[in-house]
PDB file of all heavy atoms in Angstrom:
ATOM      1  N   ALA A 219     -57.636  98.232 -97.012  1.00 78.00           N
ATOM      2  CA  ALA A 219     -57.066  97.438 -98.097  1.00 78.00           C
ATOM      3  C   ALA A 219     -55.733  97.970 -98.599  1.00 78.00           C
ATOM      4  O   ALA A 219     -54.829  97.191 -98.926  1.00 78.00           O
ATOM      5  CB  ALA A 219     -58.067  97.370 -99.265  1.00 78.00           C
ATOM      6  N   VAL A 220     -55.571  99.305 -98.663  1.00 82.00           N
ATOM      7  CA  VAL A 220     -54.423  99.862 -99.384  1.00 82.00           C
ATOM      8  C   VAL A 220     -53.296 100.393 -98.507  1.00 82.00           C
ATOM      9  O   VAL A 220     -52.253 100.792 -99.029  1.00 82.00           O
ATOM     10  CB  VAL A 220     -54.862 100.993-100.348  1.00 82.00           C
ATOM     11  CG1 VAL A 220     -55.901 100.501-101.325  1.00 82.00           C
ATOM     12  CG2 VAL A 220     -55.364 102.212 -99.570  1.00 82.00           C
ATOM     13  N   LEU A 221     -53.468 100.404 -97.179  1.00 83.00           N
ATOM     14  CA  LEU A 221     -52.406 100.938 -96.321  1.00 83.00           C
ATOM     15  C   LEU A 221     -51.098 100.186 -96.525  1.00 83.00           C
ATOM     16  O   LEU A 221     -50.034 100.792 -96.704  1.00 83.00           O
ATOM     17  CB  LEU A 221     -52.822 100.878 -94.847  1.00 83.00           C
ATOM     18  CG  LEU A 221     -51.761 101.362 -93.851  1.00 83.00           C
ATOM     19  CD1 LEU A 221     -51.407 102.820 -94.098  1.00 83.00           C
ATOM     20  CD2 LEU A 221     -52.241 101.161 -92.416  1.00 83.00           C
ATOM     21  N   GLY A 222     -51.163  98.858 -96.528  1.00 83.00           N
ATOM     22  CA  GLY A 222     -49.951  98.055 -96.734  1.00 83.00           C
ATOM     23  C   GLY A 222     -49.342  98.282 -98.096  1.00 83.00           C
ATOM     24  O   GLY A 222     -48.118  98.319 -98.249  1.00 83.00           O
ATOM     25  N   GLU A 223     -50.193  98.455 -99.098  1.00 81.00           N
ATOM     26  CA  GLU A 223     -49.711  98.721-100.453  1.00 81.00           C
ATOM     27  C   GLU A 223     -48.973 100.058-100.493  1.00 81.00           C
ATOM     28  O   GLU A 223     -47.935 100.194-101.153  1.00 81.00           O
ATOM     29  CB  GLU A 223     -50.898  98.735-101.422  1.00 81.00           C
ATOM     30  CG  GLU A 223     -50.532  98.616-102.880  1.00 81.00           C
ATOM     31  CD  GLU A 223     -49.828  97.321-103.226  1.00 81.00           C
ATOM     32  OE1 GLU A 223     -50.178  96.278-102.647  1.00 81.00           O
ATOM     33  OE2 GLU A 223     -48.897  97.365-104.061  1.00 81.00           O
ATOM     34  N   ALA A 224     -49.514 101.040 -99.768  1.00 83.00           N
ATOM     35  CA  ALA A 224     -48.871 102.356 -99.712  1.00 83.00           C
ATOM     36  C   ALA A 224     -47.489 102.270 -99.080  1.00 83.00           C
ATOM     37  O   ALA A 224     -46.518 102.852 -99.579  1.00 83.00           O
ATOM     38  CB  ALA A 224     -49.749 103.330 -98.921  1.00 83.00           C
ATOM     39  N   VAL A 225     -47.388 101.522 -97.995  1.00 86.00           N
ATOM     40  CA  VAL A 225     -46.097 101.372 -97.305  1.00 86.00           C
ATOM     41  C   VAL A 225     -45.087 100.660 -98.195  1.00 86.00           C
ATOM     42  O   VAL A 225     -43.904 101.024 -98.234  1.00 86.00           O
ATOM     43  CB  VAL A 225     -46.278 100.604 -95.977  1.00 86.00           C
ATOM     44  CG1 VAL A 225     -44.918 100.328 -95.314  1.00 86.00           C
ATOM     45  CG2 VAL A 225     -47.168 101.386 -95.019  1.00 86.00           C
ATOM     46  N   SER A 226     -45.535  99.672 -98.951  1.00 83.00           N
ATOM     47  CA  SER A 226     -44.617  98.921 -99.813  1.00 83.00           C
ATOM     48  C   SER A 226     -44.058  99.792-100.935  1.00 83.00           C
ATOM     49  O   SER A 226     -42.981  99.518-101.462  1.00 83.00           O
ATOM     50  CB  SER A 226     -45.325  97.696-100.404  1.00 83.00           C
ATOM     51  OG  SER A 226     -46.267  98.079-101.384  1.00 83.00           O
ATOM     52  N   LEU A 227     -44.764 100.855-101.283  1.00 81.00           N
ATOM     53  CA  LEU A 227     -44.340 101.717-102.386  1.00 81.00           C
ATOM     54  C   LEU A 227     -43.646 102.995-101.920  1.00 81.00           C
ATOM     55  O   LEU A 227     -42.638 103.411-102.474  1.00 81.00           O
ATOM     56  CB  LEU A 227     -45.558 102.089-103.241  1.00 81.00           C
ATOM     57  CG  LEU A 227     -46.219 100.920-103.973  1.00 81.00           C
ATOM     58  CD1 LEU A 227     -47.638 101.286-104.370  1.00 81.00           C
ATOM     59  CD2 LEU A 227     -45.414 100.537-105.206  1.00 81.00           C
ATOM     60  N   ALA A 228     -44.219 103.625-100.883  1.00 85.00           N
ATOM     61  CA  ALA A 228     -43.689 104.920-100.430  1.00 85.00           C
ATOM     62  C   ALA A 228     -42.814 104.809 -99.193  1.00 85.00           C
ATOM     63  O   ALA A 228     -42.124 105.760 -98.837  1.00 85.00           O
ATOM     64  CB  ALA A 228     -44.846 105.878-100.153  1.00 85.00           C
ATOM     65  N   HIS A 229     -42.869 103.658 -98.507  1.00 83.00           N
ATOM     66  CA  HIS A 229     -42.052 103.414 -97.308  1.00 83.00           C
ATOM     67  C   HIS A 229     -42.295 104.501 -96.266  1.00 83.00           C
ATOM     68  O   HIS A 229     -43.442 104.767 -95.932  1.00 83.00           O
ATOM     69  CB  HIS A 229     -40.579 103.286 -97.699  1.00 83.00           C
ATOM     70  CG  HIS A 229     -40.334 102.263 -98.762  1.00 83.00           C
ATOM     71  ND1 HIS A 229     -40.385 100.912 -98.512  1.00 83.00           N
ATOM     72  CD2 HIS A 229     -40.089 102.384-100.098  1.00 83.00           C
ATOM     73  CE1 HIS A 229     -40.168 100.236 -99.634  1.00 83.00           C
ATOM     74  NE2 HIS A 229     -39.988 101.108-100.612  1.00 83.00           N
ATOM     75  N   SER A 230     -41.249 105.167 -95.789  1.00 85.00           N
ATOM     76  CA  SER A 230     -41.405 106.160 -94.720  1.00 85.00           C
ATOM     77  C   SER A 230     -42.177 107.392 -95.170  1.00 85.00           C
ATOM     78  O   SER A 230     -42.634 108.181 -94.339  1.00 85.00           O
ATOM     79  CB  SER A 230     -40.026 106.588 -94.202  1.00 85.00           C
ATOM     80  OG  SER A 230     -39.345 105.497 -93.638  1.00 85.00           O
ATOM     81  N   ALA A 231     -42.308 107.580 -96.473  1.00 88.00           N
ATOM     82  CA  ALA A 231     -43.016 108.758 -97.003  1.00 88.00           C
ATOM     83  C   ALA A 231     -44.483 108.451 -97.320  1.00 88.00           C
ATOM     84  O   ALA A 231     -45.119 109.171 -98.098  1.00 88.00           O
ATOM     85  CB  ALA A 231     -42.313 109.263 -98.254  1.00 88.00           C
ATOM     86  N   THR A 232     -45.024 107.413 -96.700  1.00 89.00           N
ATOM     87  CA  THR A 232     -46.426 107.052 -96.932  1.00 89.00           C
ATOM     88  C   THR A 232     -47.352 108.225 -96.625  1.00 89.00           C
ATOM     89  O   THR A 232     -48.373 108.424 -97.307  1.00 89.00           O
ATOM     90  CB  THR A 232     -46.803 105.826 -96.073  1.00 89.00           C
ATOM     91  OG1 THR A 232     -46.007 104.715 -96.479  1.00 89.00           O
ATOM     92  CG2 THR A 232     -48.264 105.466 -96.227  1.00 89.00           C
ATOM     93  N   VAL A 233     -47.006 109.006 -95.615  1.00 91.00           N
ATOM     94  CA  VAL A 233     -47.808 110.178 -95.260  1.00 91.00           C
ATOM     95  C   VAL A 233     -47.918 111.131 -96.456  1.00 91.00           C
ATOM     96  O   VAL A 233     -49.003 111.635 -96.772  1.00 91.00           O
ATOM     97  CB  VAL A 233     -47.172 110.931 -94.065  1.00 91.00           C
ATOM     98  CG1 VAL A 233     -48.029 112.130 -93.677  1.00 91.00           C
ATOM     99  CG2 VAL A 233     -47.004 109.995 -92.872  1.00 91.00           C
ATOM    100  N   ILE A 234     -46.791 111.371 -97.124  1.00 92.00           N
ATOM    101  CA  ILE A 234     -46.783 112.282 -98.270  1.00 92.00           C
ATOM    102  C   ILE A 234     -47.560 111.688 -99.437  1.00 92.00           C
ATOM    103  O   ILE A 234     -48.223 112.411-100.184  1.00 92.00           O
ATOM    104  CB  ILE A 234     -45.329 112.604 -98.700  1.00 92.00           C
ATOM    105  CG1 ILE A 234     -44.509 113.058 -97.503  1.00 92.00           C
ATOM    106  CG2 ILE A 234     -45.314 113.669 -99.794  1.00 92.00           C
ATOM    107  CD1 ILE A 234     -45.073 114.276 -96.798  1.00 92.00           C
ATOM    108  N   ALA A 235     -47.491 110.372 -99.597  1.00 91.00           N
ATOM    109  CA  ALA A 235     -48.244 109.712-100.671  1.00 91.00           C
ATOM    110  C   ALA A 235     -49.747 109.936-100.487  1.00 91.00           C
ATOM    111  O   ALA A 235     -50.462 110.256-101.451  1.00 91.00           O
ATOM    112  CB  ALA A 235     -47.931 108.216-100.689  1.00 91.00           C
ATOM    113  N   PHE A 236     -50.228 109.787 -99.253  1.00 92.00           N
ATOM    114  CA  PHE A 236     -51.649 110.044 -98.982  1.00 92.00           C
ATOM    115  C   PHE A 236     -51.989 111.512 -99.218  1.00 92.00           C
ATOM    116  O   PHE A 236     -53.103 111.829 -99.654  1.00 92.00           O
ATOM    117  CB  PHE A 236     -52.004 109.633 -97.550  1.00 92.00           C
ATOM    118  CG  PHE A 236     -52.365 108.179 -97.406  1.00 92.00           C
ATOM    119  CD1 PHE A 236     -51.515 107.286 -96.777  1.00 92.00           C
ATOM    120  CD2 PHE A 236     -53.566 107.698 -97.901  1.00 92.00           C
ATOM    121  CE1 PHE A 236     -51.843 105.945 -96.642  1.00 92.00           C
ATOM    122  CE2 PHE A 236     -53.919 106.362 -97.775  1.00 92.00           C
ATOM    123  CZ  PHE A 236     -53.049 105.480 -97.147  1.00 92.00           C
ATOM    124  N   LEU A 237     -51.046 112.411 -98.917  1.00 93.00           N
ATOM    125  CA  LEU A 237     -51.275 113.836 -99.151  1.00 93.00           C
ATOM    126  C   LEU A 237     -51.393 114.131-100.644  1.00 93.00           C
ATOM    127  O   LEU A 237     -52.278 114.887-101.070  1.00 93.00           O
ATOM    128  CB  LEU A 237     -50.149 114.660 -98.536  1.00 93.00           C
ATOM    129  CG  LEU A 237     -50.256 116.187 -98.698  1.00 93.00           C
ATOM    130  CD1 LEU A 237     -51.542 116.693 -98.055  1.00 93.00           C
ATOM    131  CD2 LEU A 237     -49.035 116.874 -98.101  1.00 93.00           C
ATOM    132  N   PHE A 238     -50.511 113.541-101.452  1.00 92.00           N
ATOM    133  CA  PHE A 238     -50.580 113.729-102.904  1.00 92.00           C
ATOM    134  C   PHE A 238     -51.944 113.296-103.444  1.00 92.00           C
ATOM    135  O   PHE A 238     -52.576 114.003-104.240  1.00 92.00           O
ATOM    136  CB  PHE A 238     -49.476 112.943-103.613  1.00 92.00           C
ATOM    137  CG  PHE A 238     -48.125 113.594-103.573  1.00 92.00           C
ATOM    138  CD1 PHE A 238     -46.967 112.833-103.687  1.00 92.00           C
ATOM    139  CD2 PHE A 238     -47.991 114.964-103.440  1.00 92.00           C
ATOM    140  CE1 PHE A 238     -45.715 113.427-103.650  1.00 92.00           C
ATOM    141  CE2 PHE A 238     -46.741 115.571-103.416  1.00 92.00           C
ATOM    142  CZ  PHE A 238     -45.607 114.805-103.518  1.00 92.00           C
ATOM    143  N   ALA A 239     -52.380 112.113-103.020  1.00 92.00           N
ATOM    144  CA  ALA A 239     -53.676 111.605-103.482  1.00 92.00           C
ATOM    145  C   ALA A 239     -54.799 112.521-103.008  1.00 92.00           C
ATOM    146  O   ALA A 239     -55.770 112.771-103.738  1.00 92.00           O
ATOM    147  CB  ALA A 239     -53.894 110.184-102.972  1.00 92.00           C
ATOM    148  N   GLY A 240     -54.671 113.046-101.789  1.00 94.00           N
ATOM    149  CA  GLY A 240     -55.685 113.941-101.241  1.00 94.00           C
ATOM    150  C   GLY A 240     -55.802 115.243-102.007  1.00 94.00           C
ATOM    151  O   GLY A 240     -56.902 115.796-102.159  1.00 94.00           O
ATOM    152  N   ILE A 241     -54.667 115.746-102.516  1.00 94.00           N
ATOM    153  CA  ILE A 241     -54.689 116.986-103.309  1.00 94.00           C
ATOM    154  C   ILE A 241     -55.507 116.790-104.591  1.00 94.00           C
ATOM    155  O   ILE A 241     -56.302 117.644-104.977  1.00 94.00           O
ATOM    156  CB  ILE A 241     -53.248 117.437-103.641  1.00 94.00           C
ATOM    157  CG1 ILE A 241     -52.548 117.928-102.358  1.00 94.00           C
ATOM    158  CG2 ILE A 241     -53.245 118.536-104.699  1.00 94.00           C
ATOM    159  CD1 ILE A 241     -51.066 118.173-102.517  1.00 94.00           C
ATOM    160  N   VAL A 242     -55.312 115.645-105.243  1.00 94.00           N
ATOM    161  CA  VAL A 242     -56.107 115.341-106.446  1.00 94.00           C
ATOM    162  C   VAL A 242     -57.589 115.278-106.078  1.00 94.00           C
ATOM    163  O   VAL A 242     -58.448 115.799-106.806  1.00 94.00           O
ATOM    164  CB  VAL A 242     -55.654 114.014-107.086  1.00 94.00           C
ATOM    165  CG1 VAL A 242     -56.517 113.691-108.309  1.00 94.00           C
ATOM    166  CG2 VAL A 242     -54.185 114.074-107.483  1.00 94.00           C
ATOM    167  N   ALA A 243     -57.885 114.661-104.930  1.00 94.00           N
ATOM    168  CA  ALA A 243     -59.274 114.521-104.497  1.00 94.00           C
ATOM    169  C   ALA A 243     -59.910 115.873-104.188  1.00 94.00           C
ATOM    170  O   ALA A 243     -61.049 116.142-104.604  1.00 94.00           O
ATOM    171  CB  ALA A 243     -59.353 113.612-103.272  1.00 94.00           C
ATOM    172  N   ILE A 244     -59.199 116.751-103.491  1.00 96.00           N
ATOM    173  CA  ILE A 244     -59.796 118.038-103.105  1.00 96.00           C
ATOM    174  C   ILE A 244     -59.998 118.929-104.325  1.00 96.00           C
ATOM    175  O   ILE A 244     -60.997 119.655-104.416  1.00 96.00           O
ATOM    176  CB  ILE A 244     -58.942 118.752-102.024  1.00 96.00           C
ATOM    177  CG1 ILE A 244     -59.733 119.894-101.379  1.00 96.00           C
ATOM    178  CG2 ILE A 244     -57.635 119.274-102.587  1.00 96.00           C
ATOM    179  CD1 ILE A 244     -60.880 119.480-100.537  1.00 96.00           C
ATOM    180  N   LEU A 245     -59.079 118.882-105.294  1.00 95.00           N
ATOM    181  CA  LEU A 245     -59.251 119.677-106.516  1.00 95.00           C
ATOM    182  C   LEU A 245     -60.460 119.179-107.313  1.00 95.00           C
ATOM    183  O   LEU A 245     -61.257 119.970-107.823  1.00 95.00           O
ATOM    184  CB  LEU A 245     -57.989 119.612-107.374  1.00 95.00           C
ATOM    185  CG  LEU A 245     -56.809 120.471-106.892  1.00 95.00           C
ATOM    186  CD1 LEU A 245     -55.543 120.143-107.687  1.00 95.00           C
ATOM    187  CD2 LEU A 245     -57.139 121.960-107.007  1.00 95.00           C
ATOM    188  N   THR A 246     -60.595 117.860-107.396  1.00 96.00           N
ATOM    189  CA  THR A 246     -61.731 117.294-108.136  1.00 96.00           C
ATOM    190  C   THR A 246     -63.042 117.562-107.407  1.00 96.00           C
ATOM    191  O   THR A 246     -64.096 117.738-108.045  1.00 96.00           O
ATOM    192  CB  THR A 246     -61.534 115.785-108.350  1.00 96.00           C
ATOM    193  OG1 THR A 246     -60.305 115.566-109.055  1.00 96.00           O
ATOM    194  CG2 THR A 246     -62.673 115.178-109.155  1.00 96.00           C
ATOM    195  N   SER A 247     -62.997 117.614-106.080  1.00 95.00           N
ATOM    196  CA  SER A 247     -64.218 117.892-105.316  1.00 95.00           C
ATOM    197  C   SER A 247     -64.761 119.285-105.619  1.00 95.00           C
ATOM    198  O   SER A 247     -65.965 119.532-105.497  1.00 95.00           O
ATOM    199  CB  SER A 247     -63.962 117.735-103.811  1.00 95.00           C
ATOM    200  OG  SER A 247     -63.186 118.801-103.297  1.00 95.00           O
ATOM    201  N   TYR A 248     -63.880 120.206-106.041  1.00 96.00           N
ATOM    202  CA  TYR A 248     -64.330 121.540-106.442  1.00 96.00           C
ATOM    203  C   TYR A 248     -65.239 121.434-107.673  1.00 96.00           C
ATOM    204  O   TYR A 248     -66.306 122.063-107.735  1.00 96.00           O
ATOM    205  CB  TYR A 248     -63.130 122.434-106.748  1.00 96.00           C
ATOM    206  CG  TYR A 248     -63.501 123.826-107.232  1.00 96.00           C
ATOM    207  CD1 TYR A 248     -63.879 124.814-106.329  1.00 96.00           C
ATOM    208  CD2 TYR A 248     -63.480 124.147-108.586  1.00 96.00           C
ATOM    209  CE1 TYR A 248     -64.238 126.087-106.761  1.00 96.00           C
ATOM    210  CE2 TYR A 248     -63.827 125.418-109.033  1.00 96.00           C
ATOM    211  CZ  TYR A 248     -64.212 126.386-108.116  1.00 96.00           C
ATOM    212  OH  TYR A 248     -64.566 127.639-108.550  1.00 96.00           O
ATOM    213  N   SER A 249     -64.815 120.625-108.640  1.00 96.00           N
ATOM    214  CA  SER A 249     -65.645 120.419-109.839  1.00 96.00           C
ATOM    215  C   SER A 249     -66.986 119.804-109.461  1.00 96.00           C
ATOM    216  O   SER A 249     -68.045 120.229-109.940  1.00 96.00           O
ATOM    217  CB  SER A 249     -64.914 119.506-110.834  1.00 96.00           C
ATOM    218  OG  SER A 249     -63.737 120.111-111.305  1.00 96.00           O
ATOM    219  N   TYR A 250     -66.943 118.783-108.593  1.00 95.00           N
ATOM    220  CA  TYR A 250     -68.176 118.118-108.173  1.00 95.00           C
ATOM    221  C   TYR A 250     -69.101 119.072-107.429  1.00 95.00           C
ATOM    222  O   TYR A 250     -70.331 119.048-107.610  1.00 95.00           O
ATOM    223  CB  TYR A 250     -67.858 116.900-107.299  1.00 95.00           C
ATOM    224  CG  TYR A 250     -67.732 115.624-108.082  1.00 95.00           C
ATOM    225  CD1 TYR A 250     -66.497 115.197-108.562  1.00 95.00           C
ATOM    226  CD2 TYR A 250     -68.842 114.840-108.363  1.00 95.00           C
ATOM    227  CE1 TYR A 250     -66.370 114.028-109.293  1.00 95.00           C
ATOM    228  CE2 TYR A 250     -68.733 113.657-109.092  1.00 95.00           C
ATOM    229  CZ  TYR A 250     -67.493 113.264-109.554  1.00 95.00           C
ATOM    230  OH  TYR A 250     -67.381 112.108-110.284  1.00 95.00           O
ATOM    231  N   ALA A 251     -68.523 119.924-106.571  1.00 95.00           N
ATOM    232  CA  ALA A 251     -69.336 120.858-105.800  1.00 95.00           C
ATOM    233  C   ALA A 251     -70.077 121.825-106.716  1.00 95.00           C
ATOM    234  O   ALA A 251     -71.288 122.056-106.560  1.00 95.00           O
ATOM    235  CB  ALA A 251     -68.455 121.625-104.809  1.00 95.00           C
ATOM    236  N   LYS A 252     -69.364 122.388-107.683  1.00 95.00           N
ATOM    237  CA  LYS A 252     -69.970 123.340-108.606  1.00 95.00           C
ATOM    238  C   LYS A 252     -71.030 122.680-109.485  1.00 95.00           C
ATOM    239  O   LYS A 252     -72.111 123.228-109.718  1.00 95.00           O
ATOM    240  CB  LYS A 252     -68.888 123.985-109.475  1.00 95.00           C
ATOM    241  CG  LYS A 252     -67.964 124.927-108.714  1.00 95.00           C
ATOM    242  CD  LYS A 252     -68.719 126.142-108.206  1.00 95.00           C
ATOM    243  CE  LYS A 252     -67.818 127.159-107.537  1.00 95.00           C
ATOM    244  NZ  LYS A 252     -68.576 128.342-107.060  1.00 95.00           N
ATOM    245  N   LEU A 253     -70.714 121.498-109.993  1.00 95.00           N
ATOM    246  CA  LEU A 253     -71.656 120.781-110.855  1.00 95.00           C
ATOM    247  C   LEU A 253     -72.887 120.324-110.081  1.00 95.00           C
ATOM    248  O   LEU A 253     -74.010 120.365-110.593  1.00 95.00           O
ATOM    249  CB  LEU A 253     -70.959 119.576-111.492  1.00 95.00           C
ATOM    250  CG  LEU A 253     -69.929 119.896-112.585  1.00 95.00           C
ATOM    251  CD1 LEU A 253     -69.029 118.689-112.843  1.00 95.00           C
ATOM    252  CD2 LEU A 253     -70.621 120.331-113.881  1.00 95.00           C
ATOM    253  N   SER A 254     -72.693 119.894-108.820  1.00 93.00           N
ATOM    254  CA  SER A 254     -73.803 119.380-108.016  1.00 93.00           C
ATOM    255  C   SER A 254     -74.819 120.460-107.684  1.00 93.00           C
ATOM    256  O   SER A 254     -76.024 120.198-107.634  1.00 93.00           O
ATOM    257  CB  SER A 254     -73.273 118.765-106.717  1.00 93.00           C
ATOM    258  OG  SER A 254     -72.473 117.640-106.980  1.00 93.00           O
ATOM    259  N   VAL A 255     -74.320 121.668-107.426  1.00 92.00           N
ATOM    260  CA  VAL A 255     -75.230 122.774-107.116  1.00 92.00           C
ATOM    261  C   VAL A 255     -76.099 123.105-108.333  1.00 92.00           C
ATOM    262  O   VAL A 255     -77.307 123.338-108.215  1.00 92.00           O
ATOM    263  CB  VAL A 255     -74.440 124.023-106.658  1.00 92.00           C
ATOM    264  CG1 VAL A 255     -75.364 125.242-106.580  1.00 92.00           C
ATOM    265  CG2 VAL A 255     -73.796 123.770-105.304  1.00 92.00           C
ATOM    266  N   LYS A 256     -75.485 123.109-109.507  1.00 91.00           N
ATOM    267  CA  LYS A 256     -76.210 123.473-110.734  1.00 91.00           C
ATOM    268  C   LYS A 256     -77.091 122.343-111.248  1.00 91.00           C
ATOM    269  O   LYS A 256     -78.227 122.570-111.677  1.00 91.00           O
ATOM    270  CB  LYS A 256     -75.202 123.880-111.824  1.00 91.00           C
ATOM    271  CG  LYS A 256     -75.845 124.372-113.108  1.00 91.00           C
ATOM    272  CD  LYS A 256     -76.633 125.646-112.881  1.00 91.00           C
ATOM    273  CE  LYS A 256     -77.248 126.147-114.168  1.00 91.00           C
ATOM    274  NZ  LYS A 256     -78.063 127.367-113.949  1.00 91.00           N
ATOM    275  N   PHE A 257     -76.589 121.121-111.206  1.00 89.00           N
ATOM    276  CA  PHE A 257     -77.322 119.977-111.761  1.00 89.00           C
ATOM    277  C   PHE A 257     -77.579 118.956-110.656  1.00 89.00           C
ATOM    278  O   PHE A 257     -76.820 118.004-110.472  1.00 89.00           O
ATOM    279  CB  PHE A 257     -76.525 119.334-112.900  1.00 89.00           C
ATOM    280  CG  PHE A 257     -76.078 120.297-113.955  1.00 89.00           C
ATOM    281  CD1 PHE A 257     -74.740 120.615-114.110  1.00 89.00           C
ATOM    282  CD2 PHE A 257     -77.007 120.900-114.801  1.00 89.00           C
ATOM    283  CE1 PHE A 257     -74.319 121.507-115.085  1.00 89.00           C
ATOM    284  CE2 PHE A 257     -76.595 121.795-115.784  1.00 89.00           C
ATOM    285  CZ  PHE A 257     -75.256 122.104-115.925  1.00 89.00           C
ATOM    286  N   GLN A 258     -78.650 119.191-109.910  1.00 86.00           N
ATOM    287  CA  GLN A 258     -78.972 118.306-108.785  1.00 86.00           C
ATOM    288  C   GLN A 258     -79.760 117.101-109.288  1.00 86.00           C
ATOM    289  O   GLN A 258     -80.879 117.235-109.757  1.00 86.00           O
ATOM    290  CB  GLN A 258     -79.752 119.071-107.729  1.00 86.00           C
ATOM    291  CG  GLN A 258     -78.938 120.178-107.082  1.00 86.00           C
ATOM    292  CD  GLN A 258     -79.755 121.090-106.208  1.00 86.00           C
ATOM    293  OE1 GLN A 258     -80.679 120.630-105.541  1.00 86.00           O
ATOM    294  NE2 GLN A 258     -79.429 122.378-106.194  1.00 86.00           N
ATOM    295  N   SER A 259     -79.142 115.933-109.179  1.00 79.00           N
ATOM    296  CA  SER A 259     -79.756 114.727-109.727  1.00 79.00           C
ATOM    297  C   SER A 259     -79.178 113.503-109.046  1.00 79.00           C
ATOM    298  O   SER A 259     -78.017 113.499-108.644  1.00 79.00           O
ATOM    299  CB  SER A 259     -79.496 114.644-111.237  1.00 79.00           C
ATOM    300  OG  SER A 259     -79.775 113.360-111.731  1.00 79.00           O
ATOM    301  N   LYS A 260     -80.002 112.456-108.909  1.00 75.00           N
ATOM    302  CA  LYS A 260     -79.507 111.194-108.355  1.00 75.00           C
ATOM    303  C   LYS A 260     -78.475 110.548-109.282  1.00 75.00           C
ATOM    304  O   LYS A 260     -77.739 109.672-108.883  1.00 75.00           O
ATOM    305  CB  LYS A 260     -80.679 110.231-108.139  1.00 75.00           C
ATOM    306  CG  LYS A 260     -81.546 110.582-106.927  1.00 75.00           C
ATOM    307  CD  LYS A 260     -82.635 109.552-106.728  1.00 75.00           C
ATOM    308  CE  LYS A 260     -83.368 109.759-105.406  1.00 75.00           C
ATOM    309  NZ  LYS A 260     -84.065 111.041-105.297  1.00 75.00           N
TER     310      LYS A 260
END
C-alpha cells in the first residue's frame, strides 16, 4: 500500500525513508521485548 506513497515523498531517497522508520521500530521493539518478558499476556 505505501511503497508508492514513499516514492512520492522521498523520491530517490525512499531507501533512507524506510531506514528512518525502521530505526523508530527497532527502538520501540526494545520496550516491547522487555515488557513482554515481564508481563506475559494475550
Side-chain angles (χ1 to χ4, degrees):
V220 303
L221 178 61
E223 196 62 37
V225 175
S226 72
L227 295 160
H229 306 286
S230 297
T232 297
V233 181
I234 309 302
F236 274 108
L237 180 60
F238 281 155
I241 290 170
V242 178
I244 194 68
L245 284 170
T246 302
S247 73
Y248 178 80
S249 296
Y250 268 92
K252 291 294 184 179
L253 288 163
S254 295
V255 170
K256 184 64 179 178
F257 308 111
Q258 295 170 36
S259 165
K260 285 183 171 62

